[in-house]
Amino acid sequence: MSEPLLRVQDLHKTYRLPGGRALAAVAGVSFTLDAGETLGLVGESGCGKSSLARCIVRLQTPSAGRILLNGTEITTLPPAALRPHRRTMQLVFQDPITSLDPRMRAGDIVAEPLRNYGLAAPDARIAELFAQVGLRGDQMRAFPHQLSGGQRQRLGIARALALQPSLIVLDEPVSALDVSVQAQVINLLVDLQARLGVAYLFVAHDLGVVAHVSHRVAVMYLGRIVELASRDQVFSTPAHPYTRALLAAAPQPDPTAPRIVPPVGEPPSRIAPPSGCAFHTRCPSAMPHCAQQTPSLRDIGEGRLVACHLA
Ligand code: SF4
């Protein structure tokens, strides 16, 4: 079997807080991502999905575990050794207005990664990248504030594509946009993947968006993946009570359809997470031993991974 594009093994990210307390944002996450594939990563705010995304592109250094890109371990590589690998993985942020330099013209923003690697950035190449994302050539002279929100996100995508990466990590890439613009950017991402074969790790809290773009979906709760399966499995027959709760809480196209009871209350503290299954304080199916025994993420058939004693 060939090595996947990305392999994440038992990854941890723990932040040290004032007073010596620890916050385990990512607590033992493992998954793989193949070339040209999209893995959707969903969960409530604060579940650790953005910390995980930042560790994978090495904006943050993981506390433990391994990240392998094309079979090469990059987990703790120092900056100089990491540099050639950074070319193959790019990050697109949620809010392009804060991630793009407001003093640079759009053409220079897209050319900058090429120049950083000592590569030529002729206008023809920049214009080609603009065209790929649906921006006009004359917009190369614009500053970010002169573009709309959707155009700025297209600019961020063009910049991410400049070095022809194999992997783009998209951290809530459309959640700051109007719904109609969201659809345009999502369709652009799907189209780019079909043409360029780039893989996406797509971080989002909007299940509708994830359903549209993903081949597989990983559901995170308090720093752990609790379900990882194909898109159809997750959305048609969710196996974990938390996945069912997320789907129940999402807007329904048919308001008369039977609904599953959403999870009760707020997510518990990440500094002192519940013992055993961390979801037991909100789970409608919880049993007494759920508070003592942590369920492992195991294959329940057809490659579907679920962390629940009932699965
Ligand atoms: Fe609910 Fe228990 Fe399954 Fe956790 S292990 S999701 S508490 S049934």
Side-chain angles (χ1 to χ4, degrees):
M1 219 165 67
S2 62
E3 181 66 19
L5 171 67
L6 176 71
R7 182 183 292 280
V8 175
Q9 291 179 329
D10 198 22
L11 203 76
H12 292 252
K13 179 63 185 177
T14 302
Y15 299 102
R16 293 289 154 198
L17 303 178
R21 293 173 303 166
L23 189 158
V26 180
V29 165
S30 301
F31 66 88
T32 61
L33 179 65
D34 286 329
E37 185 188 23
T38 299
L39 177 67
L41 187 61
V42 295
E44 290 165 295
S45 176
C47 71
K49 53 191 191 302
S50 288
S51 293
L52 175 60
R54 281 166 168 68
C55 284
I56 288 168
V57 295
R58 284 291 317 276
L59 277 185
Q60 297 183 355
T61 301
S63 308
R66 302 176 77 206
I67 302 166
L68 290 94
L69 189 65
N70 285 315
T72 301
E73 179 159 5
I74 62 163
T75 322
T76 55
L77 285 182
L82 184 63
R83 189 171 158 76
H85 302 286
R86 276 205 191 280
R87 282 185 65 164
T88 62
M89 53 179 182
Q90 297 290 316
L91 178 66
V92 171
F93 294 91
Q94 173 181 355
D95 185 1
I97 196 68
T98 54
S99 60
L100 301 174
D101 188 335
R103 296 158 303 176
M104 289 177 73
R105 294 188 189 275
D108 290 325
I109 287 172
V110 174
E112 189 181 41
L114 292 162
R115 293 177 182 141
N116 285 345
Y117 276 87
L119 302 171
D123 282 353
R125 172 66 181 137
I126 306 307
E128 183 188 357
L129 285 160
F130 268 54
Q132 271 186 340
V133 300
L135 290 173
R136 301 187 313 270
D138 63 282
Q139 290 174 317
M140 286 164 57
R141 300 282 306 155
F143 289 100
H145 74 269
Q146 295 172 314
L147 300 173
S148 68
Q151 288 168 341
R152 282 195 292 266
Q153 197 53 295
R154 287 172 189 268
L155 186 62
I157 294 166
R159 179 181 163 92
L161 290 173
L163 290 167
Q164 298 178 292
S166 332
L167 166 66
I168 300 181
V169 175
L170 300 137
D171 189 3
E172 301 272 9
V174 297
S175 53
L177 304 176
D178 292 343
V179 172
S180 60
V181 181
Q182 282 186 5
Q184 293 168 13
V185 173
I186 291 294
N187 289 337
L188 170 67
L189 289 168
V190 171
D191 180 50
L192 286 169
Q193 185 174 60
R195 282 193 280 146
L196 306 174
V198 61
Y200 297 140
L201 178 64
F202 196 103
V203 178
H205 66 274
D206 184 329
L207 292 168
V209 169
V210 169
H212 194 75
V213 299
S214 304
H215 299 106
R216 290 184 300 143
V217 176
V219 180
M220 278 188 80
Y221 188 74
L222 286 190
R224 290 190 167 91
I225 291 178
V226 296
E227 181 160 4
L228 200 169
S230 73
R231 172 188 55 189
D232 291 346
Q233 288 169 332
V234 166
F235 286 94
S236 305
T237 55
H240 194 283
Y242 178 59
T243 311
R244 292 200 288 269
L246 275 185
L247 288 170
Q252 302 284 319
D254 176 5
T256 63
R259 292 176 70 93
I260 305 160
V261 180
V264 179
E266 295 295 312
S269 162
R270 294 188 296 159
I271 299 172
S275 60
C277 173
F279 190 54
H280 83 261
T281 54
R282 304 168 77 195
C283 179
S285 311
M287 304 167 288
H289 70 280
C290 293
Q292 275 91 48
Q293 294 172 16
T294 306
S296 57
L297 189 66
R298 60 192 175 83
D299 193 332
I300 63 165
E302 300 175 344
R304 174 178 199 153
L305 304 178
V306 181
C308 173
H309 295 310
L310 283 177

mmCIF file of all heavy atoms in Angstrom, residues 226 239-242 244 276-291 293-295 306-311, ligand 1:
data_model
loop_
_atom_site.group_PDB
_atom_site.id
_atom_site.type_symbol
_atom_site.label_atom_id
_atom_site.label_comp_id
_atom_site.label_asym_id
_atom_site.label_seq_id
_atom_site.Cartn_x
_atom_site.Cartn_y
_atom_site.Cartn_z
ATOM 1 N N VAL A 226 -13.764 11.571 17.514
ATOM 2 C CA VAL A 226 -14.719 10.588 18.039
ATOM 3 C C VAL A 226 -15.372 9.780 16.914
ATOM 4 O O VAL A 226 -15.942 8.724 17.162
ATOM 5 C CB VAL A 226 -15.796 11.249 18.929
ATOM 6 C CG1 VAL A 226 -15.165 11.858 20.169
ATOM 7 C CG2 VAL A 226 -16.605 12.286 18.158
ATOM 8 N N ALA A 239 -22.688 7.388 13.648
ATOM 9 C CA ALA A 239 -22.598 6.301 14.634
ATOM 10 C C ALA A 239 -22.313 6.799 16.047
ATOM 11 O O ALA A 239 -22.618 6.115 17.007
ATOM 12 C CB ALA A 239 -21.502 5.316 14.207
ATOM 13 N N HIS A 240 -21.705 7.966 16.177
ATOM 14 C CA HIS A 240 -21.363 8.465 17.515
ATOM 15 C C HIS A 240 -22.468 9.419 17.996
ATOM 16 O O HIS A 240 -22.946 10.258 17.221
ATOM 17 C CB HIS A 240 -20.020 9.204 17.471
ATOM 18 C CG HIS A 240 -19.442 9.445 18.821
ATOM 19 N ND1 HIS A 240 -19.904 10.447 19.660
ATOM 20 C CD2 HIS A 240 -18.461 8.808 19.505
ATOM 21 C CE1 HIS A 240 -19.213 10.419 20.792
ATOM 22 N NE2 HIS A 240 -18.328 9.436 20.725
ATOM 23 N N PRO A 241 -22.860 9.321 19.262
ATOM 24 C CA PRO A 241 -23.907 10.217 19.763
ATOM 25 C C PRO A 241 -23.580 11.699 19.565
ATOM 26 O O PRO A 241 -24.484 12.511 19.332
ATOM 27 C CB PRO A 241 -23.987 9.871 21.251
ATOM 28 C CG PRO A 241 -23.555 8.443 21.325
ATOM 29 C CD PRO A 241 -22.494 8.296 20.263
ATOM 30 N N TYR A 242 -22.297 12.059 19.616
ATOM 31 C CA TYR A 242 -21.950 13.467 19.420
ATOM 32 C C TYR A 242 -22.152 13.871 17.960
ATOM 33 O O TYR A 242 -22.638 14.972 17.675
ATOM 34 C CB TYR A 242 -20.501 13.733 19.849
ATOM 35 C CG TYR A 242 -20.083 15.160 19.619
ATOM 36 C CD1 TYR A 242 -20.761 16.211 20.230
ATOM 37 C CD2 TYR A 242 -19.017 15.464 18.769
ATOM 38 C CE1 TYR A 242 -20.394 17.530 20.000
ATOM 39 C CE2 TYR A 242 -18.638 16.779 18.547
ATOM 40 C CZ TYR A 242 -19.325 17.803 19.163
ATOM 41 O OH TYR A 242 -18.968 19.107 18.930
ATOM 42 N N ARG A 244 -24.344 12.603 15.975
ATOM 43 C CA ARG A 244 -25.800 12.728 15.813
ATOM 44 C C ARG A 244 -26.285 14.048 16.398
ATOM 45 O O ARG A 244 -27.153 14.715 15.832
ATOM 46 C CB ARG A 244 -26.502 11.540 16.484
ATOM 47 C CG ARG A 244 -26.234 10.209 15.784
ATOM 48 C CD ARG A 244 -27.287 9.174 16.131
ATOM 49 N NE ARG A 244 -27.163 8.683 17.486
ATOM 50 C CZ ARG A 244 -26.440 7.614 17.835
ATOM 51 N NH1 ARG A 244 -25.792 6.916 16.899
ATOM 52 N NH2 ARG A 244 -26.388 7.223 19.080
ATOM 53 N N GLY A 276 -13.158 9.359 31.696
ATOM 54 C CA GLY A 276 -13.758 8.366 30.805
ATOM 55 C C GLY A 276 -14.052 8.970 29.447
ATOM 56 O O GLY A 276 -13.215 9.671 28.870
ATOM 57 N N CYS A 277 -15.232 8.719 28.916
ATOM 58 C CA CYS A 277 -15.647 9.356 27.661
ATOM 59 C C CYS A 277 -15.955 10.814 27.968
ATOM 60 O O CYS A 277 -16.858 11.119 28.755
ATOM 61 C CB CYS A 277 -16.874 8.661 27.079
ATOM 62 S SG CYS A 277 -17.539 9.551 25.652
ATOM 63 N N ALA A 278 -15.236 11.733 27.332
ATOM 64 C CA ALA A 278 -15.399 13.158 27.644
ATOM 65 C C ALA A 278 -16.792 13.677 27.304
ATOM 66 O O ALA A 278 -17.202 14.722 27.790
ATOM 67 C CB ALA A 278 -14.340 13.964 26.889
ATOM 68 N N PHE A 279 -17.540 12.921 26.495
ATOM 69 C CA PHE A 279 -18.890 13.358 26.093
ATOM 70 C C PHE A 279 -19.948 12.882 27.091
ATOM 71 O O PHE A 279 -21.121 13.225 26.944
ATOM 72 C CB PHE A 279 -19.187 12.831 24.683
ATOM 73 C CG PHE A 279 -20.440 13.401 24.069
ATOM 74 C CD1 PHE A 279 -20.646 14.778 23.980
ATOM 75 C CD2 PHE A 279 -21.421 12.559 23.564
ATOM 76 C CE1 PHE A 279 -21.804 15.296 23.418
ATOM 77 C CE2 PHE A 279 -22.583 13.076 22.988
ATOM 78 C CZ PHE A 279 -22.767 14.443 22.910
ATOM 79 N N HIS A 280 -19.556 12.141 28.139
ATOM 80 C CA HIS A 280 -20.585 11.493 28.965
ATOM 81 C C HIS A 280 -21.469 12.487 29.719
ATOM 82 O O HIS A 280 -22.609 12.188 30.035
ATOM 83 C CB HIS A 280 -19.949 10.470 29.934
ATOM 84 C CG HIS A 280 -19.395 11.041 31.200
ATOM 85 N ND1 HIS A 280 -18.058 11.303 31.369
ATOM 86 C CD2 HIS A 280 -19.991 11.400 32.368
ATOM 87 C CE1 HIS A 280 -17.854 11.794 32.589
ATOM 88 N NE2 HIS A 280 -19.008 11.864 33.210
ATOM 89 N N THR A 281 -20.936 13.712 29.948
ATOM 90 C CA THR A 281 -21.747 14.689 30.688
ATOM 91 C C THR A 281 -22.883 15.261 29.841
ATOM 92 O O THR A 281 -23.781 15.909 30.368
ATOM 93 C CB THR A 281 -20.861 15.855 31.177
ATOM 94 O OG1 THR A 281 -20.166 16.407 30.044
ATOM 95 C CG2 THR A 281 -19.853 15.385 32.223
ATOM 96 N N ARG A 282 -22.845 15.034 28.533
ATOM 97 C CA ARG A 282 -23.880 15.586 27.644
ATOM 98 C C ARG A 282 -24.559 14.506 26.809
ATOM 99 O O ARG A 282 -25.445 14.812 26.014
ATOM 100 C CB ARG A 282 -23.245 16.610 26.694
ATOM 101 C CG ARG A 282 -22.507 17.730 27.403
ATOM 102 C CD ARG A 282 -21.670 18.536 26.435
ATOM 103 N NE ARG A 282 -22.439 19.463 25.633
ATOM 104 C CZ ARG A 282 -21.983 20.067 24.543
ATOM 105 N NH1 ARG A 282 -20.754 19.814 24.111
ATOM 106 N NH2 ARG A 282 -22.723 20.912 23.872
ATOM 107 N N CYS A 283 -24.122 13.277 26.970
ATOM 108 C CA CYS A 283 -24.583 12.223 26.063
ATOM 109 C C CYS A 283 -25.924 11.640 26.512
ATOM 110 O O CYS A 283 -26.053 11.178 27.641
ATOM 111 C CB CYS A 283 -23.528 11.106 26.005
ATOM 112 S SG CYS A 283 -24.019 9.740 24.931
ATOM 113 N N PRO A 284 -26.929 11.624 25.618
ATOM 114 C CA PRO A 284 -28.231 11.052 26.002
ATOM 115 C C PRO A 284 -28.183 9.539 26.175
ATOM 116 O O PRO A 284 -29.104 8.951 26.748
ATOM 117 C CB PRO A 284 -29.145 11.446 24.833
ATOM 118 C CG PRO A 284 -28.227 11.701 23.683
ATOM 119 C CD PRO A 284 -26.930 12.173 24.257
ATOM 120 N N SER A 285 -27.115 8.886 25.703
ATOM 121 C CA SER A 285 -27.011 7.418 25.805
ATOM 122 C C SER A 285 -26.009 6.986 26.861
ATOM 123 O O SER A 285 -25.668 5.795 26.925
ATOM 124 C CB SER A 285 -26.577 6.834 24.451
ATOM 125 O OG SER A 285 -27.361 7.336 23.408
ATOM 126 N N ALA A 286 -25.508 7.909 27.675
ATOM 127 C CA ALA A 286 -24.421 7.575 28.613
ATOM 128 C C ALA A 286 -24.825 6.464 29.583
ATOM 129 O O ALA A 286 -25.974 6.403 30.046
ATOM 130 C CB ALA A 286 -24.014 8.819 29.389
ATOM 131 N N MET A 287 -23.874 5.590 29.856
ATOM 132 C CA MET A 287 -24.051 4.488 30.816
ATOM 133 C C MET A 287 -23.084 4.725 31.970
ATOM 134 O O MET A 287 -22.131 5.508 31.832
ATOM 135 C CB MET A 287 -23.730 3.165 30.119
ATOM 136 C CG MET A 287 -24.560 2.930 28.868
ATOM 137 S SD MET A 287 -23.921 1.584 27.850
ATOM 138 C CE MET A 287 -22.446 2.307 27.155
ATOM 139 N N PRO A 288 -23.300 4.063 33.113
ATOM 140 C CA PRO A 288 -22.434 4.339 34.272
ATOM 141 C C PRO A 288 -20.937 4.189 33.961
ATOM 142 O O PRO A 288 -20.134 5.024 34.386
ATOM 143 C CB PRO A 288 -22.897 3.315 35.312
ATOM 144 C CG PRO A 288 -24.325 3.076 34.962
ATOM 145 C CD PRO A 288 -24.403 3.168 33.460
ATOM 146 N N HIS A 289 -20.552 3.158 33.222
ATOM 147 C CA HIS A 289 -19.117 2.967 33.011
ATOM 148 C C HIS A 289 -18.520 3.950 31.997
ATOM 149 O O HIS A 289 -17.301 4.018 31.837
ATOM 150 C CB HIS A 289 -18.798 1.518 32.620
ATOM 151 C CG HIS A 289 -19.276 1.132 31.255
ATOM 152 N ND1 HIS A 289 -20.568 0.796 30.983
ATOM 153 C CD2 HIS A 289 -18.613 1.031 30.076
ATOM 154 C CE1 HIS A 289 -20.693 0.492 29.711
ATOM 155 N NE2 HIS A 289 -19.526 0.625 29.124
ATOM 156 N N CYS A 290 -19.358 4.741 31.323
ATOM 157 C CA CYS A 290 -18.812 5.742 30.389
ATOM 158 C C CYS A 290 -17.976 6.789 31.127
ATOM 159 O O CYS A 290 -17.069 7.389 30.538
ATOM 160 C CB CYS A 290 -19.939 6.439 29.646
ATOM 161 S SG CYS A 290 -20.844 5.354 28.521
ATOM 162 N N ALA A 291 -18.282 7.044 32.382
ATOM 163 C CA ALA A 291 -17.521 8.033 33.147
ATOM 164 C C ALA A 291 -16.179 7.490 33.620
ATOM 165 O O ALA A 291 -15.320 8.261 34.054
ATOM 166 C CB ALA A 291 -18.345 8.489 34.354
ATOM 167 N N GLN A 293 -14.402 4.603 31.794
ATOM 168 C CA GLN A 293 -13.596 4.015 30.724
ATOM 169 C C GLN A 293 -13.605 4.909 29.477
ATOM 170 O O GLN A 293 -14.675 5.236 28.959
ATOM 171 C CB GLN A 293 -14.126 2.635 30.359
ATOM 172 C CG GLN A 293 -13.968 1.624 31.487
ATOM 173 C CD GLN A 293 -14.683 0.320 31.164
ATOM 174 O OE1 GLN A 293 -15.046 0.045 30.024
ATOM 175 N NE2 GLN A 293 -14.908 -0.492 32.188
ATOM 176 N N THR A 294 -12.420 5.258 29.010
ATOM 177 C CA THR A 294 -12.312 6.056 27.786
ATOM 178 C C THR A 294 -12.431 5.127 26.581
ATOM 179 O O THR A 294 -11.628 4.198 26.436
ATOM 180 C CB THR A 294 -10.953 6.782 27.725
ATOM 181 O OG1 THR A 294 -10.788 7.543 28.930
ATOM 182 C CG2 THR A 294 -10.872 7.689 26.518
ATOM 183 N N PRO A 295 -13.421 5.345 25.716
ATOM 184 C CA PRO A 295 -13.537 4.462 24.548
ATOM 185 C C PRO A 295 -12.441 4.758 23.535
ATOM 186 O O PRO A 295 -12.130 5.932 23.284
ATOM 187 C CB PRO A 295 -14.922 4.805 23.986
ATOM 188 C CG PRO A 295 -15.194 6.190 24.466
ATOM 189 C CD PRO A 295 -14.465 6.379 25.754
ATOM 190 N N VAL A 306 -14.957 4.772 15.194
ATOM 191 C CA VAL A 306 -15.859 5.397 16.170
ATOM 192 C C VAL A 306 -15.320 5.162 17.576
ATOM 193 O O VAL A 306 -14.861 4.057 17.892
ATOM 194 C CB VAL A 306 -17.295 4.812 16.069
ATOM 195 C CG1 VAL A 306 -18.235 5.488 17.062
ATOM 196 C CG2 VAL A 306 -17.836 4.964 14.652
ATOM 197 N N ALA A 307 -15.392 6.196 18.423
ATOM 198 C CA ALA A 307 -14.964 6.078 19.818
ATOM 199 C C ALA A 307 -16.191 6.166 20.714
ATOM 200 O O ALA A 307 -16.564 7.249 21.172
ATOM 201 C CB ALA A 307 -13.960 7.180 20.173
ATOM 202 N N CYS A 308 -16.863 5.025 20.901
ATOM 203 C CA CYS A 308 -18.049 4.971 21.773
ATOM 204 C C CYS A 308 -18.252 3.547 22.219
ATOM 205 O O CYS A 308 -18.152 2.625 21.398
ATOM 206 C CB CYS A 308 -19.286 5.482 21.017
ATOM 207 S SG CYS A 308 -20.818 5.265 21.932
ATOM 208 N N HIS A 309 -18.547 3.337 23.504
ATOM 209 C CA HIS A 309 -18.756 1.974 24.002
ATOM 210 C C HIS A 309 -19.965 1.310 23.342
ATOM 211 O O HIS A 309 -20.056 0.083 23.318
ATOM 212 C CB HIS A 309 -18.953 2.015 25.524
ATOM 213 C CG HIS A 309 -17.742 2.485 26.270
ATOM 214 N ND1 HIS A 309 -16.491 1.961 26.057
ATOM 215 C CD2 HIS A 309 -17.582 3.461 27.207
ATOM 216 C CE1 HIS A 309 -15.615 2.579 26.839
ATOM 217 N NE2 HIS A 309 -16.255 3.497 27.532
ATOM 218 N N LEU A 310 -20.884 2.099 22.832
ATOM 219 C CA LEU A 310 -22.102 1.527 22.232
ATOM 220 C C LEU A 310 -21.910 1.137 20.770
ATOM 221 O O LEU A 310 -22.714 0.404 20.217
ATOM 222 C CB LEU A 310 -23.247 2.526 22.314
ATOM 223 C CG LEU A 310 -23.943 2.690 23.670
ATOM 224 C CD1 LEU A 310 -24.995 3.781 23.582
ATOM 225 C CD2 LEU A 310 -24.582 1.373 24.102
ATOM 226 N N ALA A 311 -20.851 1.658 20.139
ATOM 227 C CA ALA A 311 -20.724 1.475 18.686
ATOM 228 C C ALA A 311 -20.321 0.035 18.370
ATOM 229 O O ALA A 311 -19.538 -0.555 19.083
ATOM 230 C CB ALA A 311 -19.699 2.438 18.132
HETATM 231 FE FE1 SF4 B 1 -22.153 8.308 25.121
HETATM 232 FE FE2 SF4 B 1 -20.900 6.404 26.521
HETATM 233 FE FE3 SF4 B 1 -20.697 6.472 23.861
HETATM 234 FE FE4 SF4 B 1 -19.493 8.309 25.354
HETATM 235 S S1 SF4 B 1 -19.033 6.109 25.315
HETATM 236 S S2 SF4 B 1 -20.638 8.662 23.502
HETATM 237 S S3 SF4 B 1 -20.981 8.603 26.982
HETATM 238 S S4 SF4 B 1 -22.561 6.104 25.038
#
